Amino acid sequence: MKIAIIYASTEGQTRKIAHHAKETLEGDGNDVTLRHATDANDLRLAEYDGVILAASVHAGRFQTELVDFAKDHSSALNAVNSLFLPVSLGAAGDDETEWNALRQYVRTLAADTGWSPARVEHVAGAFRFKEYDFFKYWAMRWFESSKDPSVPAGVDREYTDWDALDDALRDWTRA
Ligand SMILES: Cc1cc2nc3c(=O)[nH]c(=O)nc-3n(C[C@H](O)[C@H](O)[C@H](O)COP(=O)(O)O)c2cc1C
């Protein structure tokens, strides 16, 4: 299969996830093109058997670059087999309120862009304290200790389940 992966990332975890997806899909024999959302406008999406978009949640929103890309290419995206990978810390837990919020962010993205992803697979992200500015650092320290009291505050932690991601990618390519 010929697959395009287009992503946006603020602290780097979605970039890591996009690169991992490329490796997995290439390992399975697919031909994969990986681009950042600001560098993907020249891709002819109709030529791909599948297109993956990935972006992370920050205060309920996805990166503007990814939203703009989805808006500019909504018709082409709706015409291909598309997969959206929203990355968040809400997806690391089982809090129903957080999950409802995550689903709402995806609905809002669809309404704002006109792109309805054929499939959505939520992916758990990470705390990356070295990437935060002063305000984000303290906000995320508080968020981390309230979310996971077993982790010392201010310590990086990755929640991404790489095996589950691989399973989801393979299931999508099979379908
Ligand atoms: C300032 C800030 C706001 C965030 N807001 C949310 C949020 O509203 N919901 C959520 O589930 N995760 C939230 N997160 C967690 C990120 O989605 C998570 O850290 C993700 O791994 C970031 O991916 P990136 O490194 O590709 O940007 C937030 C993170 C930061 C730093």
Side-chain angles (χ1 to χ4, degrees), residues 15 53 61 69 78 99 106-107 110 113 120 125 158 164 168 170:
R15 180 171 55 243
L53 263 60
R61 305 173 71 87
F69 181 88
N78 286 330
W99 273 98
V106 174
R107 282 195 291 271
T113 62
V120 178
E158 186 174 81
R170 291 190 172 120

Side-chain angles (χ1 to χ4, degrees), residues 128-139:
R128 288 183 163 219
F129 284 89
K130 281 186 216 71
E131 307 300 327
Y132 303 152
D133 62 22
F134 179 83
F135 294 105
K136 274 194 205 173
Y137 180 89
W138 287 99

Side-chain angles (χ1 to χ4, degrees), residues 9-15 56-60 63 87-90 102 105 125-126 132 136 140:
S9 178
T10 305
E11 283 96 30
Q13 190 65 15
T14 310
R15 180 171 55 243
S56 62
V57 177
H58 285 75
Q63 283 84 5
V87 176
S88 69
L89 284 169
L102 292 178
Y105 304 152
Y132 303 152
K136 274 194 205 173
M140 295 306 279

Side-chain angles (χ1 to χ4, degrees), residues 134-153:
F134 179 83
F135 294 105
K136 274 194 205 173
Y137 180 89
W138 287 99
M140 295 306 279
R141 253 181 85 114
W142 173 83
F143 186 48
E144 184 176 48
S145 56
S146 65
K147 192 170 181 62
D148 193 344
S150 70
V151 183

